[in-house]
């Protein structure tokens, strides 16, 4: 009985520790678990020019691909705000995906970490919609998470 209660408490804690995300408009699959900057409520507070650390666990690839390209997209009132991803982070096979993951086969599960150094945002004090994702060599969406982020000064 006590073991059952302990398991229930641990599972609840794990679920509560996840970042509240939703599927991106492109329909890309979500990772099984997502954690972004220790955010557990929406909107996530993101400090302007501070690092963004995003983890996605158990991403199941819908396609075969020899490479994975990372991207970040930021939107405010339907308009995209420039938020270029540093060149060294674009190749997700070299920076972010567990060692030896690429090439990726359809149905293969892998983990991904985006360790973005942060950048100056042109807006502060507002909530924006952020999408973080990976695309295959042929441009197909492999995974994407969307979440609301409040940009703080």
């Amino acid at each position: 009985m006590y073991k059952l209660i302990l398991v229930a408490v641990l599972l609840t804690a794990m679920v509560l520790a996840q970042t509240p995300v939703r599927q991106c408009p492109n329909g890309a699959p979500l990772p099984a678990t997502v954690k972004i900057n220790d955010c557990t409520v929406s909107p996530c507070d993101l400090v302007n020019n501070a690092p963004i650390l995003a983890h996605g666990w158990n991403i199941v690839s819908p396609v075969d691909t020899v490479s994975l390209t990372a991207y970040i997209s930021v939107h405010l009132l339907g308009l995209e705000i420039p938020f270029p991803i540093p060149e060294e982070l674009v190749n997700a096979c070299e920076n972010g995906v567990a060692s030896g993951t690429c090439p990726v086969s359809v149905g293969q599960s892998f983990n991904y970490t985006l360790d973005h150094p942060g950048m100056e945002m042109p807006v502060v004090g507002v909530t924006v919609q952020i999408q973080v994702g990976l695309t295959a060599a042929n441009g197909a969406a492999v995974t994407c998470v969307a979440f609301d982020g409040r940009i703080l000064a």
Side-chain angles (χ1 to χ4, degrees), residues 1-141:
M1 178 69 168
Y2 291 112
K3 287 182 184 179
L4 181 60
I5 293 171
L6 179 60
V7 169
V9 169
L10 288 174
L11 285 176
T12 302
M14 287 174 53
V15 168
L16 292 177
Q18 294 183 37
T19 300
V21 297
R22 59 190 174 278
Q23 191 171 35
C24 292
N26 66 5
L30 289 167
T33 305
V34 176
K35 188 172 185 182
I36 302 170
N37 282 17
D38 295 324
C39 173
T40 58
V41 297
S42 187
C44 295
D45 286 338
L46 302 173
V47 177
N48 199 12
N49 215 22
I52 298 170
L53 187 59
H55 301 283
W57 291 277
N58 296 318
I59 300 165
V60 178
S61 180
V63 296
D64 291 326
T65 185
V66 295
S67 66
L68 292 167
T69 301
Y71 67 90
I72 298 175
S73 177
V74 179
H75 301 266
L76 175 64
L77 301 173
L79 300 173
E80 187 166 351
I81 299 170
F83 195 90
I85 189 166
E87 190 62 37
E88 65 272 13
L89 299 180
V90 172
N91 184 339
C93 292
E94 291 182 7
N95 192 339
V97 176
S99 177
T101 298
C102 291
V104 176
S105 301
V106 66
Q108 180 179 344
S109 177
F110 63 93
N111 301 327
Y112 173 70
T113 298
L114 174 69
D115 191 356
H116 192 288
M119 66 177 276
E120 187 76 24
M121 289 293 294
V123 295
V124 293
V126 298
T127 298
V128 295
Q129 291 71 48
I130 302 170
Q131 297 174 23
V132 178
L134 300 173
T135 56
N138 66 1

